[in-house]
Amino acid sequence: MKPYIGVTDFVTRAQVEQAKAAIPASVHRRLHVGAMTSYKVLNSIPTSLGWENVWLNERGLHDLFANDRDVYNVIHYADYGHRSGSRAPTSVLDLVKAWDMSGPYVDAMQLDMVWPKPSLLEEFLQCRPDAEFILQVSSEAIRQGGDRWFNLLPAYHDHVQYMLIDTGMGRGTMFEPLEILTMIDRVVEVVGQNRVAVAGGLGPETYRNLELL
């Protein structure tokens, strides 16, 4: 598994090329090109105001995800609301729809969900066997998982390429390195060190927070 540097909410191919140019060849990491979709977007449910520009339509995703060996094209699928019981949960048809609208060059789907059923991933992979998964292990997932949250990880081992420890969840909250190191150790025990990713408040002024990790 080749490591990646992930950036999300790209909306144009020109932005991708600018980001690629900023990664020196000596870094030996591919650029994760992320674009967002969600249960609400796919099912025509109103979403939060101010985020309209990040929800690309099918044509926009096709333009963004090019046949490029230097990038890792990832569609991010978000659904944090299905536990309320007010609507149907994400189904395999939702995931297939998100995947297919992303075009022929999408490489992976990041699941921004709280402990989706492993059977859902398995069912999806029966439909799209070449797909890869990134599972977001968010602060909410850890909270809901309790003190032994890491015992939930083995159920995803065979279906997920990367497990992403993401305590920021798009809010720009910086992670605490010593605290997150403990979480990383738990994930490494299950999937190995080459399949762990970390997110949370990283940017031009804060990326050195990764040095300890």
Side-chain angles (χ1 to χ4, degrees):
M1 304 296 294
K2 186 176 181 180
Y4 65 76
I5 296 174
V7 181
T8 309
D9 293 340
F10 284 103
V11 293
T12 69
R13 186 65 197 176
Q15 292 172 337
V16 173
E17 295 301 328
Q18 287 178 321
K20 283 173 57 181
I23 302 176
S26 59
V27 170
H28 300 298
R29 281 170 169 79
R30 55 184 170 172
L31 175 66
H32 161 137
V33 176
M36 290 293 304
T37 192
S38 72
Y39 178 96
K40 289 183 177 181
V41 170
L42 294 179
N43 290 280
S44 301
I45 299 172
T47 188
S48 301
L49 295 176
W51 291 85
E52 296 86 353
N53 291 336
V54 305
W55 309 114
L56 297 181
N57 58 24
E58 185 170 358
R59 180 174 179 179
L61 290 170
H62 282 231
D63 290 342
L64 183 69
F65 292 151
N67 184 13
D68 187 339
R69 295 173 60 185
D70 295 327
V71 304
Y72 189 42
N73 292 319
V74 182
I75 183 70
H76 293 226
Y77 177 89
D79 183 7
Y80 297 119
H82 68 279
R83 291 181 178 272
S84 65
S86 61
R87 59 172 172 79
T90 284
S91 71
V92 67
L93 295 179
D94 292 312
L95 297 186
V96 169
K97 182 177 181 180
W99 183 266
D100 289 350
M101 71 182 287
S102 301
Y105 301 120
V106 61
D107 297 306
M109 178 180 290
Q110 179 170 312
L111 296 170
D112 293 347
M113 304 170 67
V114 176
W115 305 120
K117 292 182 178 180
S119 59
L120 176 65
L121 280 61
E122 184 174 355
E123 189 177 358
F124 173 82
L125 289 171
Q126 290 175 355
C127 300
R128 300 293 182 269
D130 294 331
E132 296 186 358
F133 277 124
I134 302 170
L135 176 66
Q136 182 194 58
V137 183
S138 64
S139 53
E140 179 61 19
I142 292 171
R143 186 190 69 79
Q144 291 192 21
D147 292 340
R148 308 290 291 181
W149 61 270
F150 43 85
N151 286 342
L152 298 171
L153 297 175
Y156 300 94
H157 180 276
D158 294 337
H159 307 313
V160 171
Q161 277 64 41
Y162 295 97
M163 294 193 181
L164 172 70
I165 301 175
D166 183 0
T167 57
M169 296 176 62
R171 295 188 297 266
T173 304
M174 175 54 64
F175 61 77
E176 170 54 50
L178 293 178
E179 179 181 340
I180 211 166
L181 273 173
T182 302
M183 300 178 189
I184 290 173
D185 286 342
R186 294 297 189 182
V187 179
V188 167
E189 290 174 3
V190 176
V191 298
Q193 64 182 3
N194 293 328
R195 293 171 59 186
V196 181
V198 174
L202 295 169
E205 306 302 325
T206 58
Y207 71 94
R208 292 194 180 277
N209 212 25
L210 289 168
E211 287 182 335
L212 179 60
L213 308 187

